[in-house]
């Protein structure tokens, strides 16, 4: 089970809007302005399916992460998990906190070791990319977080299941490339 968080912006995939301005020094200069507003979303995928998508409120801490796992993720999908699944999350502070480690141990969950400063080969990053293409198609901008969340969940639920199988099957090839390139 691969997991990750992503921040989704109201104003587009990167949260920046280009604005043309005129100035005496540099006519028709592009100014990047950071647009406020968006959602932090956590997701989990397996080889066979999208498992869970959760909108996280506020900062993600060990407490909020464990609470979300217990009350959202495992509550919703525990019966759909394969018996010997391995849990993958990166080395973000909430993931490696003592409280999180203790919680996962109590649940009997095997966690994949993810070395620090390693290439990010998590296939859910590709899922975020697929979702982004749909959500921000034709430079779509959202007026509020409810509309954004509705777009995210609608795109999540129509992802082709074949995509997950393909992503998982591509992992060995990516690992070989990383080894050949000595981690670069």
């Amino acid at each position: 089970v691969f997991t990750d968080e992503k921040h989704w912006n109201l104003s587009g995939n990167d949260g920046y809007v280009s604005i043309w301005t005129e100035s005496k020094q540099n006519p028709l200069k592009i100014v990047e302005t950071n647009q406020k507003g968006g959602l932090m979303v956590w997701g989990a995928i397996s080889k066979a399916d999208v498992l869970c998508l959760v909108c996280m409120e506020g900062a993600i801490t060990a407490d909020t992460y464990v609470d979300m796992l217990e009350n959202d993720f495992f509550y919703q999908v525990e019966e759909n998990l394969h018996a010997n699944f391995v849990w993958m999350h990166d080395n973000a502070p909430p993931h490696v906190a003592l409280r999180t480690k203790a919680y996962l141990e109590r649940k009997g969950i095997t966690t994949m070791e993810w070395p620090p400063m390693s290439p990010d080969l998590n296939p859910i990053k590709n899922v975020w990319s697929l979702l982004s293409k749909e959500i921000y198609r034709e430079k779509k901008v959202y007026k509020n977080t409810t509309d954004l969340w509705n777009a995210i969940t609608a795109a999540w639920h129509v992802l082709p299941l074949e995509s997950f199988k393909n992503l998982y099957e591509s992992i060995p090839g990516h690992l070989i490339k990383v080894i050949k390139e000595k981690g670069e």
Side-chain angles (χ1 to χ4, degrees):
V1 174
F2 284 89
T3 71
D4 193 31
E5 300 87 12
K6 176 171 174 42
H7 187 268
W8 298 87
N9 298 295
L10 292 173
S11 59
N13 195 29
D14 60 4
Y16 286 85
V17 176
S18 296
I19 301 170
W20 287 94
T21 63
E22 291 188 35
S23 70
K24 290 179 183 177
Q25 296 86 7
N26 191 1
L28 300 177
K29 175 183 168 192
I30 297 178
V31 177
E32 301 289 342
T33 58
N34 192 356
Q35 301 297 302
K36 302 292 182 195
L39 298 170
M40 182 59 78
V41 175
W42 177 90
I45 62 170
S46 72
K47 183 176 182 176
D49 204 356
V50 291
L51 289 173
C52 189
L53 195 64
V54 177
C55 184
M56 302 292 290
E57 293 185 27
I60 300 175
T61 64
D63 290 339
T64 60
Y65 185 61
V66 167
D67 186 57
M68 179 276 303
L69 291 177
E70 182 67 24
N71 297 313
D72 292 307
F73 180 74
F74 288 111
Y75 178 77
Q76 290 179 39
V77 302
E78 194 156 25
E79 69 246 11
N80 297 335
L81 293 171
H82 294 281
N84 295 323
F85 74 92
V86 175
W87 188 260
M88 188 275 150
H89 53 196
D90 58 24
N91 291 319
H95 303 164
V96 296
L98 293 176
R99 177 158 190 242
T100 303
K101 288 180 178 182
Y103 170 77
L104 293 172
E105 265 184 41
R106 274 194 315 276
K107 297 270 305 171
I109 295 168
T110 303
T111 304
M112 179 186 295
E113 288 203 31
W114 203 253
M117 305 301 292
S118 62
D120 196 344
L121 300 174
N122 187 342
I124 199 170
K125 301 286 189 185
N126 298 79
V127 174
W128 295 145
S129 178
L130 293 169
L131 289 176
S132 291
K133 287 177 187 172
E134 178 61 27
I135 292 162
Y136 299 118
R137 187 171 15 107
E138 299 175 9
K139 299 186 181 186
K140 175 84 173 153
V141 174
Y142 295 89
K143 293 179 182 174
N144 57 57
T145 54
T146 301
D147 291 346
L148 177 58
W149 177 246
N150 289 339
I152 294 167
T153 56
W156 177 263
H157 290 296
V158 297
L159 285 169
L161 296 181
E162 187 69 20
S163 299
F164 302 101
K165 182 180 176 201
N166 293 341
L167 287 171
Y168 273 74
E169 289 175 358
S170 74
I171 291 172
H174 292 296
L175 293 173
I176 290 168
K177 286 179 188 174
V178 169
I179 292 167
K180 264 186 180 175
E181 297 296 323
K182 297 182 170 102
E184 292 295 319

